[in-house]
Amino acid sequence: MSIAEVARRAGTSVATVSRVFNNPGIVNAQTCSTVLRAAHELGYVPNSSARTLRTRRNKVLGVMLPTLANPVFAQCLQGIAEEAETRGYAIVLTTTEYSPEREAAAAERLLNAGVEGLILVVSNPATSQVLQRTQQTKLPYVLAYNQAQEHTCISVDNHGAIFQLIQRLHAAGHQRIGMVTGQLHASDRAQQRCKGYVEGMQAQNLSPLPVWELPFAEQALEQLQQDLMEATRPTALVCSNDVIAIRSIRAATLAGLRIPQDLCVVGFDGIGLGRDLTPSLASITQPNEAIGQQCVALLCNALTDGIPLLPSHSVQLPYGWRAGESCSPLPL
Amino acid sequence: MSIAEVARRAGTSVATVSRVFNNPGIVNAQTCSTVLRAAHELGYVPNSSARTLRTRRNKVLGVMLPTLANPVFAQCLQGIAEEAETRGYAIVLTTTEYSPEREAAAAERLLNAGVEGLILVVSNPATSQVLQRTQQTKLPYVLAYNQAQEHTCISVDNHGAIFQLIQRLHAAGHQRIGMVTGQLHASDRAQQRCKGYVEGMQAQNLSPLPVWELPFAEQALEQLQQDLMEATRPTALVCSNDVIAIRSIRAATLAGLRIPQDLCVVGFDGIGLGRDLTPSLASITQPNEAIGQQCVALLCNALTDGIPLLPSHSVQLPYGWRAGESCSPLPL
DNA sequence: TTGTACGCGTTATCAG
DNA sequence: CTGATAACGCGTACAA
């Protein structure tokens, strides 16, 4: 099952067999088909380790995600896996659970695994040690979801999406609009979305409310619930992601509010499950699979062309809008 | 950065360096630490391709999952990734979207990737071509979630879980209990759970209702919705997984029913998101991460010990119960 | 257009 | 306990 056996059977040298597989153009069509037939009959499949040893390319991509518990990343990974598969790349996966400490260790493991390139979702590109470390290694990498001038990113316009949403909510008559987010330090996206909220409110001459920041705790939700029982409660809640939105709906319902009559709730991400909920979840959608696919595509192209990946290769994909029962119809 | 450089710096032979990394026990403690230091100073990291070429072991596991859109499998994958990581294994992932055709192709790709072992979730172990093909190759494999005598499986007692649930529902006063499932042919678990339903009902001297089988279509849900408006509608709905349960809650709500006063709904899987829903989702829980971890553990142990994986190595993990607002409290 | 021969970095065998 | 050395399977100068 090695190249030598194929060569023997085809009556050629190993070099020719190798060429047939790597550069068919430069070999006689006749010999080529002879070799191919021999290879097929023997069920020959090239040994990737040997090839890697020689070429120093192993066709493995490293993927670092915050968690798989949030369907956004699961969906993205699906896109990554798909595209990687068609391109013949394997992936090694690691999750950080949104912890900066785990991030560093996780990245180190990917590096040690000898990956050719990296797809990363970091908590904050501006402060991430992972990115410094990665840049040292000269390995090509692309950030998914993160948005930062200095890096190659596949993302959506987080700021603009929320900014525009505020405008639409206002147009629909909402004045008191609140924002709920996960832990801000764990996610630059959340920060950008919050910024979009504040500036969006100001642009509408509305005063932004203090942002609800929900750490992953029961307690925080109860606070939100309390606040929603005040007379000055908002009439619409913008959430920095769909999971937060689902939790917010829970808090609101426990506070005795009806969705969307008393309170409109909008999420961000467009996870598939949102459609099946009751009420169905209104959300700013991201093309999650496509984000994953593009990451792989960019990386693989850079790898095969041997050109370095630059910030200018960043792609900003369009976000969308999924209407849902958790929010009354919005103009536009 | 190769073993030779380390040897030179440590003043030993390459063989010794190799031993230090692979079998430290048989080398002099003194030399050992010298080598280790040299290696560390040089930032030496063993080349996995060369090692693989020599040992014919690449430390890559193949994982075949139905989809990542269902959080159950995302959670399981998280467990797999974690355990694989700690054991120094990489994984190559592929999804089948519950399609038997895609299953065969997906498995073939994993095989071609040269994986050392496989973790599979197949639609039906009894009819799966994938398993035949896998057995031909003599590669060790373990089935996750699937339950079958002839294979090595990590699963829960699907039949028993539902059987017991029916008993509890009956004890709580329910007489008309219905069952909702996804496409039966796409999942042996669903079949086993339905069997548990039918036999559980009979054991309680209740007559089982025709099972609602929901293909992935809008239409099917509407049928359920219609049926739930009949006078003879069930008072409790057992669902073969949490996603189905979420959809059923939607159908019931659209039918004008209140959950759980008019209709109790119970899911299966215990996906994390279930806790955050309103009403929160009552569910029979599976230890999803643990299932993934055990698959990896079993596989890796078999791989390192060189012993074949037998059906007798199967593990049946305990299922649990998560109370939730979608179902009134149940005895036991 | 094809063949020969070397080296990629390791591990395993066999002497010492 | 340690060292020399032959593979492992492949790609690629270089020569023909």
Side-chain angles (χ1 to χ4, degrees):
Chain A
M1 36 158 109
S2 92
I3 207 176
E5 310 201 30
V6 179
R8 194 149 38 78
R9 177 160 190 133
T12 74
S13 74
V14 292
T16 300
V17 177
S18 176
R19 288 191 196 99
V20 167
F21 280 91
N22 298 297
N23 199 352
I26 67 166
V27 53
N28 183 296
Q30 184 60 264
T31 15
C32 188
S33 63
T34 313
V35 169
L36 249 21
R37 181 149 22 89
H40 185 72
E41 287 166 3
L42 261 38
Y44 166 74
V45 34
N47 179 310
S48 61
S49 320
R51 172 177 289 169
T52 296
L53 184 57
R54 234 344 271 223
T55 62
R56 302 169 155 282
R57 302 211 25 205
N58 62 4
K59 304 211 101 194
V60 176
L61 263 25
V63 178
M64 184 177 98
L65 261 27
T67 178
L68 253 31
N70 188 330
V72 185
F73 300 118
Q75 248 179 293
C76 176
L77 178 58
Q78 179 118 2
I80 292 175
E82 228 164 72
E83 189 67 19
E85 196 173 284
T86 69
R87 290 175 181 261
Y89 276 76
I91 68 176
V92 25
L93 171 70
T94 186
T95 61
T96 65
E97 303 305 322
Y98 292 102
S99 144
E101 297 81 48
R102 290 197 55 167
E103 253 182 40
E108 213 55 45
R109 274 190 303 264
L110 293 182
L111 263 21
N112 283 336
V115 300
E116 281 189 60
L118 294 164
I119 296 174
L120 307 169
V121 183
V122 302
S123 53
N124 192 333
T127 63
S128 173
Q129 303 135 359
V130 169
L131 295 183
Q132 292 182 32
R133 179 77 178 88
T134 304
Q135 285 172 328
Q136 283 177 10
T137 68
K138 301 291 177 193
L139 245 51
Y141 68 96
V142 27
L143 302 186
Y145 295 103
N146 296 115
Q147 225 180 331
Q149 294 295 336
E150 311 76 24
H151 305 281
T152 312
C153 302
I154 310 288
S155 60
V156 302
D157 179 6
N158 291 295
H159 179 280
I162 298 291
F163 189 94
Q164 184 194 7
L165 174 62
I166 300 297
Q167 180 183 336
R168 296 174 63 204
L169 284 167
H170 188 206
H174 291 279
Q175 305 267 343
R176 291 196 307 283
I177 304 172
M179 172 102 203
V180 190
T181 176
Q183 295 193 65
L184 282 173
H185 79 268
S187 162
D188 62 326
R189 289 86 71 201
Q191 291 171 26
Q192 289 152 356
R193 291 167 196 170
C194 282
K195 188 146 175 282
Y197 162 72
V198 172
E199 297 181 0
M201 290 295 278
Q202 290 166 344
Q204 303 297 317
N205 280 317
L206 300 174
S207 39
L209 273 40
V211 167
W212 281 277
E213 188 176 353
L214 302 188
F216 206 80
E218 207 55 43
Q219 205 175 13
L221 253 194
E222 285 174 13
Q223 181 59 54
L224 175 59
Q225 182 180 336
Q226 293 298 325
D227 294 346
L228 287 178
M229 303 202 294
E230 302 292 329
T232 58
R233 65 168 180 78
T235 61
L237 231 39
V238 176
C239 304
S240 73
N241 70 50
D242 281 350
V243 174
I244 297 280
I246 290 170
R247 294 198 177 127
S248 298
I249 288 177
R250 179 162 182 80
T253 308
L254 293 180
L257 301 182
R258 294 164 305 164
I259 313 281
Q261 298 93 326
D262 300 326
L263 182 73
C264 284
V265 177
V266 176
F268 200 117
D269 287 342
I271 65 175
L273 226 50
R275 291 198 151 97
D276 299 318
L277 301 179
T278 324
S280 61
L281 188 60
S283 184
I284 295 172
T285 60
Q286 303 191 77
N288 296 303
E289 283 92 348
I291 288 177
Q293 283 169 5
Q294 297 239 9
C295 287
V296 175
L298 224 54
L299 220 39
C300 292
N301 289 341
L303 247 20
T304 55
D305 299 352
I307 60 168
L309 226 34
L310 301 173
S312 61
H313 292 100
S314 292
V315 179
Q316 193 163 90
L317 264 18
Y319 55 83
W321 171 250
R322 179 192 292 166
E325 298 154 357
S326 66
C327 181
S328 335
L330 259 32
L332 233 167
Chain B
M1 36 159 106
S2 92
I3 207 176
E5 309 199 31
V6 178
R8 194 148 40 76
R9 177 160 190 134
T12 73
S13 73
V14 292
T16 300
V17 177
S18 176
R19 289 191 196 100
V20 167
F21 280 91
N22 297 297
N23 200 351
I26 66 166
V27 53
N28 182 295
Q30 184 60 262
T31 18
C32 188
S33 62
T34 312
V35 168
L36 247 21
R37 181 150 21 88
H40 185 72
E41 288 166 1
L42 262 39
Y44 166 73
V45 32
N47 180 311
S48 60
S49 317
R51 172 176 290 168
T52 297
L53 181 57
R54 199 37 235 218
T55 62
R56 307 171 148 277
R57 303 209 27 203
N58 61 4
K59 304 210 102 191
V60 176
L61 263 26
V63 179
M64 186 178 97
L65 261 29
T67 177
L68 253 29
N70 188 332
V72 186
F73 300 117
Q75 249 180 290
C76 176
L77 178 58
Q78 179 118 2
I80 291 174
E82 228 164 74
E83 189 68 20
E85 197 173 281
T86 70
R87 291 175 181 261
Y89 275 76
I91 67 176
V92 24
L93 170 70
T94 185
T95 61
T96 66
E97 304 306 321
Y98 292 101
S99 145
E101 297 81 46
R102 290 197 55 165
E103 253 181 40
E108 212 56 43
R109 275 190 303 262
L110 292 182
L111 263 22
N112 283 336
V115 300
E116 283 188 57
L118 294 165
I119 297 174
L120 307 169
V121 183
V122 302
S123 54
N124 192 333
T127 62
S128 172
Q129 305 134 357
V130 169
L131 295 182
Q132 293 182 31
R133 179 77 179 87
T134 304
Q135 285 172 328
Q136 285 177 8
T137 68
K138 300 291 179 194
L139 244 50
Y141 68 96
V142 29
L143 301 186
Y145 296 102
N146 296 114
Q147 227 180 330
Q149 294 295 335
E150 311 77 23
H151 306 281
T152 311
C153 301
I154 310 288
S155 61
V156 302
D157 179 5
N158 291 296
H159 179 280
I162 298 289
F163 189 94
Q164 185 194 6
L165 174 63
I166 300 297
Q167 182 182 335
R168 296 175 64 205
L169 283 168
H170 188 205
H174 290 279
Q175 305 267 343
R176 290 196 307 283
I177 305 172
M179 173 103 200
V180 189
T181 177
Q183 295 193 65
L184 282 174
H185 78 268
S187 162
D188 61 327
R189 291 85 72 201
Q191 290 170 27
Q192 289 152 358
R193 291 166 196 170
C194 282
K195 188 146 174 282
Y197 162 72
V198 172
E199 296 180 1
M201 290 294 276
Q202 289 166 344
Q204 303 296 316
N205 280 318
L206 300 174
S207 39
L209 273 41
V211 167
W212 280 277
E213 188 177 353
L214 302 189
F216 206 81
E218 207 56 42
Q219 203 176 15
L221 253 195
E222 285 174 14
Q223 182 59 54
L224 174 59
Q225 182 181 336
Q226 293 297 326
D227 294 346
L228 287 178
M229 305 204 293
E230 301 292 328
T232 58
R233 64 169 179 80
T235 62
L237 231 39
V238 176
C239 304
S240 74
N241 71 49
D242 281 351
V243 175
I244 297 279
I246 289 169
R247 295 201 176 124
S248 297
I249 287 177
R250 179 163 182 81
T253 308
L254 293 180
L257 301 182
R258 294 164 305 163
I259 312 283
Q261 299 92 325
D262 300 327
L263 181 73
C264 283
V265 178
V266 176
F268 201 116
D269 286 343
I271 64 175
L273 225 51
R275 291 197 151 98
D276 299 317
L277 301 179
T278 323
S280 62
L281 188 60
S283 183
I284 295 173
T285 59
Q286 304 192 76
N288 295 304
E289 283 92 348
I291 288 176
Q293 283 168 6
Q294 297 239 10
C295 287
V296 175
L298 224 56
L299 219 40
C300 292
N301 289 340
L303 246 18
T304 57
D305 301 350
I307 60 169
L309 225 35
L310 301 173
S312 61
H313 293 99
S314 292
V315 179
Q316 193 162 92
L317 263 20
Y319 56 84
W321 170 249
R322 179 191 292 166
E325 298 154 358
S326 67
C327 181
S328 334
L330 258 34
L332 229 167

